[in-house]
C-alpha cells in the first residue's frame, strides 16, 4: 500500500491534469492463472458452432475494453493492476490489469467460441506455447484508430499491435510448424474493439485535432484508418474478423460529468460522433467483404443494445446507470479508482458501470451476448 501511495503522489499532477481534460477508453480488454483457474468463472462456452466448425484461437486488438493487462508491462499512467480493479476476479481481490471488477469482453468472447475462459495479454512474460496457440489479446487501454490517440497517453498503437501479431505468428510457427500455424491464423476469430478514445478524448479535448477537422472529416480519418488496419490484418492471414462499433460514449459517467451540465445529461455531441463513425465503419466493412470474398468481416453493433440497457436497466437487473461503482462513480478511472477511493459500492452487480467509463463484469456479459450471440453464424 505504501509503494502504491508513493507512486500515486509522484504522478498526481499529471493524473489531475490528464483527467480534467479527458476521459479515455473505448466502446465497449494476464494473468498467471491460465487454465487451472477456468473453473472459477461462470462463463458458458458455445460448443454448437455452425457447420461443425471449430475455432483454434481468439485474437484481439483494441483498447481498454479488451485489454486484459498489456498495459501492466509498459510505461504509461493508463493502468489498473491494483485494487479495487479485479475485486470480483476469480476467487476475489485479484487485480490483473483488466479494466473492470472482473472479466472483460475478450475473455467472454473467447468462451463463447469455445476456446478458453481467459484470454491473456500478449506481453505477459509467463505465457507458454499452449497459451499462445489458443489466442491472446494485443489490446492496450487508451489506444485508438487515430495514431495520435495512443501517442498522447503512451500506450500501444494499433500499428504496434499489428507488429506484435507478426511476432506472434513467427512464435507459433517455430512452436507447431508452418502447416498448423497456418490453420491457426486462417481459422481463428479476430476481434477489433477500439475508437471511443478518439472521439471522447483526442478530438473533444485536444485543439490540435479540432483545428484541422470537424466531426465528419475526423470520423472519415478514423474510418480510413480502420479500413487500412483491417486490410493489413487480412494480408497477414486473418479471415474471420469481428469489429465492434462505438457504444453510447456520451452516456458514460465521465462524459456526463465533463459535458453533461449540472444535470449530468448524456453528451449529444459524443453520441452523434459515435453514430456517424459507426455508419462509416459499417460501409467500409461492406466494401471489404466484396473486395475479399474469402473473408468474413462482421460488424458488431453495440450502440443499440447498450442504449437499451441504459434506458431500461431493470430489464437487465441493474439499478444504477449514471455513475460507476468505484468511489463517487462520476470521474474515477484508472489511478483515480484506487484502494483509497471512498464510497466504493459493496455490490457491483447493481451497477452498469464499474468506474466512470468501464462497465462491470455483469454488464459486459449481458452486452456481449446481446451483441454477439446472433452474429456468431456470420463468421463461418
Amino acid at each position: 500500500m505504501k509503494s502504491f501511495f508513493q507512486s500515486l503522489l509522484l504522478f498526481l499532477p499529471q493524473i489531475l491534469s490528464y483527467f480534467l481534460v479527458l476521459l479515455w477508453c473505448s466502446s465497449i480488454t494476464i494473468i498467471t492463472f491460465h487454465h487451472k483457474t477456468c473453473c472459477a468463472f461462470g462463463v458458458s462456452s458455445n460448443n454448437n458452432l455452425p457447420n461443425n466448425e471449430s475455432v483454434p484461437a481468439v485474437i484481439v486488438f483494441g483498447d481498454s475494453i479488451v485489454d486484459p493487462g498489456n498495459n501492466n508491462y509498459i510505461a504509461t499512467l493508463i493502468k489498473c493492476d491494483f485494487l479495487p480493479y479485479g475485486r470480483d476476479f476469480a476467487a476475489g481481490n485479484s487485480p490483473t490489469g483488466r479494466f473492470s471488477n472482473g472479466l472483460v469482453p475478450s475473455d467472454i468472447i473467447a468462451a463463447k467460441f469455445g476456446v478458453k475462459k481467459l484470454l491473456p495479454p500478449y506481453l505477459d512474460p509467463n505465457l507458454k506455447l499452449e497459451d499462445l496457440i489458443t489466442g491472446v489479446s494485443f489490446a492496450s487501454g487508451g489506444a485508438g484508430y487515430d495514431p495520435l490517440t495512443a501517442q498522447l497517453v503512451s500506450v500501444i498503437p494499433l500499428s504496434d499491435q499489428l507488429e506484435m501479431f507478426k511476432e506472434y505468428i513467427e512464435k507459433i510457427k517455430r512452436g507447431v510448424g508452418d502447416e498448423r500455424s497456418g490453420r491457426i491464423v486462417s481459422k481463428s476469430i479476430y476481434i477489433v474493439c477500439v475508437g471511443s478514445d478518439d472521439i471522447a478524448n483526442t478530438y473533444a479535448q485536444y485543439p490540435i485535432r479540432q483545428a484541422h477537422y470537424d466531426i465528419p472529416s475526423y470520423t472519415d480519418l478514423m474510418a480510413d484508418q480502420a479500413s487500412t488496419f483491417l486490410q493489413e490484418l487480412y494480408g497477414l492471414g486473418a479471415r474471420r474478423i469481428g469489429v465492434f462499433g462505438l457504444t453510447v460514449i456520451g452516456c458514460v459517467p465521465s462524459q456526463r460529468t465533463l459535458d453533461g451540465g449540472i444535470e449530468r445529461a448524456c453528451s449529444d455531441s459524443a453520441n452523434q460522433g459515435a453514430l456517424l463513425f459507426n455508419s462509416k465503419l459499417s460501409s467500409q466493412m461492406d466494401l471489404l467483404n466484396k473486395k475479399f470474398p474469402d473473408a468474413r468481416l462482421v460488424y458488431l453493433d453495440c450502440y443499440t443494445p447498450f442504449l437499451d440497457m441504459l434506458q431500461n436497466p431493470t430489464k437487465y437487473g441493474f439499478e444504477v446507470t449514471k455513475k460507476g461503482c468505484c468511489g463517487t462513480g462520476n470521474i474515477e478511472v484508472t489511478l483515480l479508482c484506487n484502494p483509497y477511493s471512498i464510497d466504493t459500492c459493496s455490490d457491483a452487480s447493481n451497477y452498469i458501470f464499474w468506474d466512470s467509463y468501464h462497465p462491470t463484469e455483469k454488464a459486459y456479459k449481458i452486452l456481449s451476448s446481446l451483441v454477439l450471440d446472433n452474429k456468431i453464424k456470420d463468421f463461418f
Side-chain angles (χ1 to χ4, degrees):
M1 287 295 186
K2 184 177 179 181
S3 61
F4 174 90
F5 191 58
Q6 290 171 335
S7 298
L8 188 63
L9 287 176
L10 178 64
F11 290 113
L12 191 57
Q14 295 166 274
I15 297 167
L16 292 176
S17 173
Y18 175 68
F19 284 105
L20 283 175
V21 295
L22 74 115
L23 261 171
W24 56 276
C25 157
S26 147
S27 88
I28 357 181
T29 97
I30 302 184
I31 70 189
T32 55
F33 298 101
H34 300 308
H35 300 292
K36 63 184 180 181
T37 62
C38 290
C39 58
F41 300 90
V43 181
S44 59
S45 62
N46 189 322
N47 296 315
N48 299 304
L49 298 178
N51 306 319
N52 295 317
E53 293 277 1
S54 63
V55 173
V58 170
I59 297 170
V60 175
F61 302 87
D63 58 21
S64 60
I65 299 299
V66 286
D67 178 2
N70 283 307
N71 279 15
N72 296 352
Y73 305 101
I74 63 175
T76 179
L77 293 178
I78 312 304
K79 292 180 183 288
C80 60
D81 54 342
F82 44 81
L83 291 172
Y85 288 97
R87 189 180 72 181
D88 302 308
F89 187 91
N93 291 330
S94 300
T96 61
R98 287 168 168 82
F99 291 80
S100 187
N101 60 309
L103 300 174
V104 291
S106 45
D107 304 308
I108 298 163
I109 292 168
K112 281 184 175 295
F113 282 99
V115 176
K116 55 186 175 184
K117 301 291 173 62
L118 297 172
L119 199 72
Y122 177 68
L123 294 183
D124 182 351
N126 297 312
L127 291 186
K128 298 178 173 61
L129 178 62
E130 55 265 34
D131 302 308
L132 291 173
I133 61 175
T134 51
V136 293
S137 173
F138 299 100
S140 177
Y145 285 116
D146 181 353
L148 180 62
T149 300
Q151 182 181 342
L152 287 169
V153 288
S154 301
V155 298
I156 307 168
L158 283 180
S159 57
D160 286 0
Q161 293 181 33
L162 209 59
E163 290 300 314
M164 291 193 297
F165 178 54
K166 294 176 184 177
E167 181 183 84
Y168 165 89
I169 293 173
E170 292 305 313
K171 284 183 179 180
I172 63 172
K173 277 184 179 179
R174 292 195 297 269
V176 301
D178 288 352
E179 183 178 347
R180 186 178 174 193
S181 65
R183 287 199 305 271
I184 291 171
V185 170
S186 64
K187 298 293 186 181
S188 290
I189 296 293
Y190 296 81
I191 296 294
V192 181
C193 179
V194 68
S196 291
D197 280 321
D198 295 323
I199 291 176
N201 176 17
T202 306
Y203 184 80
Q205 308 300 337
Y206 287 88
I208 189 172
R209 282 300 187 233
Q210 293 183 29
H212 295 93
Y213 300 92
D214 56 13
I215 275 291
S217 60
Y218 188 67
T219 51
D220 283 341
L221 168 69
M222 291 173 61
D224 288 344
Q225 291 288 329
S227 178
T228 298
F229 177 82
L230 293 173
Q231 291 182 73
E232 291 176 348
L233 188 57
Y234 174 89
L236 293 173
R239 293 296 180 267
R240 300 165 169 175
I241 307 170
V243 186
F244 279 84
L246 305 190
T247 189
V248 194
I249 54 179
C251 295
V252 302
S254 63
Q255 295 305 303
R256 289 177 179 272
T257 301
L258 294 172
D259 196 34
I262 192 168
E263 295 184 355
R264 298 183 67 249
C266 294
S267 169
D268 287 337
S269 60
N271 285 344
Q272 290 303 313
L275 286 170
L276 185 58
F277 169 73
N278 288 346
S279 67
K280 294 175 181 179
L281 174 65
S282 179
S283 296
Q284 291 278 17
M285 292 178 67
D286 288 341
L287 293 174
L288 292 177
N289 271 318
K290 293 175 182 177
K291 182 176 181 179
F292 304 126
D294 61 330
R296 298 291 183 271
L297 284 88
V298 182
Y299 174 73
L300 300 171
D301 171 31
C302 59
Y303 190 101
T304 304
F306 198 57
L307 181 61
D308 190 58
M309 290 171 64
L310 292 171
Q311 292 177 337
N312 303 287
T314 57
K315 183 168 85 173
Y316 300 98
F318 296 108
E319 297 175 7
V320 185
T321 64
K322 294 185 178 181
K323 66 178 184 176
C325 169
C326 186
T328 66
N330 293 332
I331 200 71
E332 294 89 342
V333 66
T334 66
L335 291 178
L336 297 182
C337 172
N338 60 61
Y340 304 97
S341 298
I342 61 173
D343 297 327
T344 297
C345 75
S346 59
D347 183 5
S349 68
N350 294 323
Y351 287 69
I352 287 183
F353 292 99
W354 163 246
D355 58 23
S356 70
Y357 211 113
H358 304 95
T360 58
E361 178 186 287
K362 177 182 174 181
Y364 275 143
K365 287 180 179 179
I366 293 172
L367 184 61
S368 296
S369 289
L370 292 172
V371 172
L372 194 59
D373 286 359
N374 291 330
K375 290 285 188 174
I376 285 177
K377 65 183 184 304
D378 296 341
F379 285 87
F380 304 98

